[in-house]
């Protein structure tokens, strides 16, 4: 009786169509077959390392010929050791609890109906990401574990690597008895395939862009498929009037310089004027020692000069307050009060992570109440906003939006819910 | 030190800007001042009924002059009794628990950091809706209770009513000491103001369209602001081989005819072939008695003819399977198995509510596992998918998407979350 819908003609939509069918098969699966498939993937990655490394060498050679920077070539490169580490991560995902089937609420209604809200997979998840080929395996493993089919659209600069990896993954998934179409590379290396993916509403349940700000903006603005925005972090460290200044120096330097290229690194320092004269000279020296250039407001520049600091301090412009440097740079300003700090953060923050250093309980409480961000740190480095650090076991990205998921996203964030209502002939 | 961002020039963006400021004030509020404002709204609606009714009379007169149908005029009309009922609903919202501040997870991490995930308001919620002016008050009350500022964009046919209602609401909110800008009418009666609202990403946190399928599609496709899709319900009742046929007739008629104009009414009947000959004649007669026209597939037509049914049965076309009639019409087909029913539902369902009538536990389990919808009913009417019926106390809409919220949305669905991480100088 049902009419078959015509098969889509475009390769991207055909991939989405197959992903939907695979997702329908995955959704009712219990944990064991999914874990078996993950362990098969880990084994296959180790056994077939050589073919992945060979394909990766092609991408690396092309990138080198194109004059790509060594930092990006390093991110692109797969070695035997790196593949072994990726395989170990997949085994770790297999060891995590399965979110699917978890009962979130349940009750018997006054009329006797049994109501349960249970976690179910989202369905088809599209991931659009940049160079790192390890994301290919990571994302596939997390989606599979949470019962989702995944459409992977990596950078064209990693096309050979991703093709080889996905061949290994699909063989392993199929060999374990699950639908191979649960893991697919989005066909085509051009921008068109991304555009088509972004318009596949109804076929793709969610798109998660992972990469730089430009990529994320493109996906957010061009997509009719629901998007989870990730990763832009214009994070602030606010040093309050009541801060322990030793602690504040440590937290500041750690937040900025422990790994400046990541989204949870600090990009702006705000200092309460009551401690500016005592704190800033020490902070500037510590930042200088860590190799950080400070972009200071006039009050910071004045302290730098009067204290004879050897730190590199340049004048900040309005642009500095909104810049996510991702480098050994930090903007710095003096504020008149905690409320001014909150106001500054409200104006410029990307809503990722904001930290206060304070010994005052009322100040900590006020800051955590007033600041609207995925994570608010009290006397801790901004670098802790991370799925691994939060104990989630794995992370598909850090959401900076307010809908669905906010902050580090683990396996539960890759699910939706379904109400199951059971009666014995109930009518209204 | 902070630079004031220039005030937006357009009236819509200015309203959004004011809403953001109000939202920042509302976010840290505990329950009591919000409840006080709600009770002030309820009181004011009763005291100022006359001015609302007078404004409403203008809209009604205009609608009548334009030849609007009586059904729509009835939905538009506000009387003293209806306003009293709306005020009572606001008092009820005040009596509900405040979702803000609820701790969803919490633990001490191995390194001693304290991690808490708490509910926070979404921020600024935009509601785009059709004629009913009661939605104006409902939506404002739910947003206020959950600490959100709301931008209301009602139908231009209810502009005078909505303007009067929002004046009352704003006076009451301001009088209770909360920012009046927490409740605003989106200025302008033209489509342009809707378009501007849909592009206000970063200023508006979520848009919830409430109304017909065309409105929802427009918002979903044109919006860069995250949207929660609501309300389209192409709901199915599947009568299994093992169904209690008396129960099946009752559930079918209740699902279809108790209130056909709403999204949780059934639109398609699927019958297992093993019971088609026994069930269909009774079902057709019962549907006929309820005034329902059946759009049947060839097997349904054959049974109707051979049983000499007096029901109105017309041939179904492919279009019938995807139609949300919202009227006294139902599509009906015979399927060969539970799997065929699931396959049909997968192809045509809008993912709202799907029901099975069966005495078989394995069949019920299989159906609830395989069918992907916001709500799956076992031996109960589709009409139970409703925030009130589910015991949520109030409902802002029924989400048919998978991100953020799925199914009836109550107060918790109007919130996001924030991680609060507390240490004593923790660095990585």
């Amino acid at each position: 009786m049902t009419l078959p819908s015509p098969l889509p003609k475009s390769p991207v939509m055909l991939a989405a169509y197959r992903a939907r069918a695979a997702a329908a098969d995955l959704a009712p699966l219990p944990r064991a077959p999914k874990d078996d498939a993950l362990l098969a993937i880990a084994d296959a990655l180790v056994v077939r390392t050589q073919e992945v490394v060979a394909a990766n060498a092609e991408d690396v050679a092309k990138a080198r010929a194109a004059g790509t920077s060594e930092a990006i070539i390093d991110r692109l490169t797969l070695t035997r050791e790196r593949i072994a580490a990726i395989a170990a991560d997949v085994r770790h995902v297999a060891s995590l609890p399965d979110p699917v089937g978890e009962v979130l609420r349940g009750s018997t209604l006054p009329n006797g109906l049994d109501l349960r809200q249970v976690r179910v997979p989202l369905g088809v998840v599209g991931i659009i990401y940049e160079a790192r080929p390890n994301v290919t395996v990571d994302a596939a493993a997390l989606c599979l574990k949470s019962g989702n089919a995944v459409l992977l659209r990596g950078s064209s600069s990693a096309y050979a690597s991703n093709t080889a990896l996905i061949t290994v993954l699909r063989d392993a998934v199929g060999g374990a008895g699950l639908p191979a179409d649960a893991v697919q590379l989005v066909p085509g290396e051009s921008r068109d395939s991304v555009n088509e993916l972004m318009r596949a509403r109804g076929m793709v349940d969610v798109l998660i862009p992972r990469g730089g700000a430009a990529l994320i903006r493109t996906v957010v603005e061009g997509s009719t498929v629901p998007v989870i925005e990730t990763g832009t972090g214009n994070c602030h460290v606010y040093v309050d009037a009541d801060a322990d200044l030793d602690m504040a120096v440590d937290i500041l330097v750690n937040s900025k310089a422990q790994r400046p290229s990541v989204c949870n690194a600090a990009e702006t320092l705000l200092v309460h004027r009551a401690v500016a004269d005592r704190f800033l000279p020490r902070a500037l020296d510590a930042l200088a020692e860590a190799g950080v250039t400070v972009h200071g407001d006039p009050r910071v520049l004045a302290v730098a000069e009067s204290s004879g600091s050897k730190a590199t301090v340049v004048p900040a412009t309005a642009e500095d307050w909104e810049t996510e440097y991702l480098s050994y740079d930090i903007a710095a300003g003096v504020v008149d009060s905690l409320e001014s700090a909150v106001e500054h953060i409200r104006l410029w923050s990307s809503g990722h992570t904001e930290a206060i250093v304070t010994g005052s309980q009322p100040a900590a409480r006020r800051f955590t109440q007033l600041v609207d961000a995925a994570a608010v740190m009290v006397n801790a480095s901004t670098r802790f906003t991370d799925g691994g650090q939060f104990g989630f076991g794995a992370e598909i990205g850090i959401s900076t939006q307010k809908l669905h998921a906010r902050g580090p996203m683990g396996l539960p964030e890759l699910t939706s819910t379904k109400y199951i209502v059971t009666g014995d002939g109930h009518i209204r």
Side-chain angles (χ1 to χ4, degrees), chain A:
Chain A
M1 184 194 97
T2 57
L3 304 174
S5 53
L7 275 185
K9 287 197 188 71
S10 97
V12 173
M13 292 306 286
L14 195 60
Y17 182 90
R18 288 187 175 137
R20 285 210 82 68
D25 291 343
L26 290 181
L29 288 182
R31 174 174 177 165
K34 294 186 287 190
D35 286 355
D36 290 347
L38 289 170
L39 297 176
I41 286 175
D43 289 345
L45 283 169
V46 172
V47 170
R48 296 173 68 176
T49 290
Q50 195 39 52
E51 66 187 89
V52 174
V53 168
N56 181 248
E58 288 176 40
D59 287 332
V60 169
K62 259 196 210 162
R64 196 153 270 142
T68 308
S69 77
E70 278 307 310
I72 291 189
I73 285 182
D74 181 58
R75 287 171 57 172
L76 177 62
T77 303
L78 291 173
T79 61
R80 182 165 294 276
E81 292 68 36
R82 286 183 179 183
I83 292 172
I86 293 170
D89 285 346
V90 175
R91 282 181 211 284
H92 175 64
V93 171
S95 77
L96 295 172
D98 183 352
V100 173
E102 188 190 349
V103 178
L104 297 177
R105 329 187 213 195
S107 63
T108 301
L109 301 178
N111 61 7
L113 277 177
D114 282 322
L115 177 72
R116 275 181 304 148
Q117 186 187 31
V118 300
R119 281 199 193 279
V120 296
L122 284 166
V124 177
V125 177
I127 316 266
I128 302 178
Y129 55 106
E130 288 172 347
R132 297 175 183 267
N134 63 313
V135 171
T136 307
V137 183
D138 257 23
L142 291 169
C143 287
L144 210 54
K145 176 81 188 194
S146 50
N148 294 294
V150 65
L151 291 171
L152 294 155
R153 210 304 181 172
S155 161
S156 54
S157 65
Y159 198 75
S161 313
N162 288 336
T163 303
L165 283 169
I166 286 175
T167 303
V168 172
L169 265 56
R170 288 172 56 88
D171 289 353
V173 169
L178 264 54
D181 284 339
V183 181
Q184 292 179 80
L185 192 66
V186 174
E189 292 183 64
S190 81
R191 267 331 253 202
D192 293 351
S193 67
V194 178
N195 290 335
E196 218 179 333
L197 194 61
M198 295 197 302
R199 310 297 295 181
R201 192 176 178 98
M203 298 294 281
V204 178
D205 293 292
V206 60
L207 279 184
I208 306 177
R210 284 182 62 169
L215 168 72
I216 289 165
R217 197 164 43 242
T218 303
V219 175
V220 158
E221 289 182 358
S223 184
T224 58
V225 173
V227 174
I228 297 180
E229 202 175 337
T230 65
T232 309
N234 185 12
C235 307
H236 299 70
V237 173
Y238 165 60
V239 178
D240 188 45
D242 287 312
D244 174 328
L245 300 186
D246 291 328
M247 186 193 289
V249 170
D250 288 348
I251 287 175
L252 169 65
V253 173
N254 187 261
S255 296
K256 175 68 254 180
Q258 197 240 354
R259 199 171 164 204
S261 64
V262 291
C263 60
N264 59 17
E267 306 292 7
T268 298
L269 162 68
L270 300 172
V271 183
H272 193 288
R273 64 171 175 184
V275 291
D277 286 338
R278 278 181 296 140
F279 176 70
L280 276 172
R282 297 173 54 187
L284 294 176
D285 286 349
L287 288 169
E289 200 166 310
V292 177
T293 299
V294 175
H295 304 248
D297 76 348
R299 292 202 266 184
V300 170
L301 292 170
V303 174
E305 195 168 336
S306 68
S307 71
S309 169
K310 287 162 298 183
T312 312
V313 186
V314 301
T317 64
E319 210 182 317
D320 284 293
W321 308 126
E322 63 179 339
T323 299
E324 187 188 14
Y325 298 110
L326 298 173
S327 62
Y328 287 94
D329 291 87
I330 194 165
V334 174
V335 293
D336 291 332
S337 63
L338 183 145
E339 284 68 27
S340 301
V342 167
E343 197 54 43
H344 180 101
I345 290 168
R346 199 167 277 165
L347 205 52
W348 300 110
S349 166
S350 63
H352 190 297
T353 302
E354 309 303 345
I356 182 173
V357 185
T358 187
S360 156
Q361 166 61 18
R365 182 171 151 89
R366 197 148 171 73
F367 189 83
T368 55
Q369 281 178 339
L370 293 180
V371 167
D372 189 26
V376 183
M377 301 284 163
V378 177
N379 296 336
S381 170
T382 57
R383 292 275 295 113
F384 284 107
T385 302
D386 172 271
Q389 293 290 326
F390 278 13
F392 297 172
E395 180 188 288
I396 190 88
I398 297 179
S399 164
T400 51
Q401 69 177 38
K402 294 189 191 172
L403 282 197
H404 187 70
R406 198 177 191 202
M409 292 186 288
L411 290 167
E413 283 71 26
L414 285 172
T415 65
S416 181
T417 60
K418 179 199 279 186
Y419 285 103
I420 297 177
V421 186
T422 309
D424 39 30
H426 284 70
I427 60 172
R428 284 178 73 176

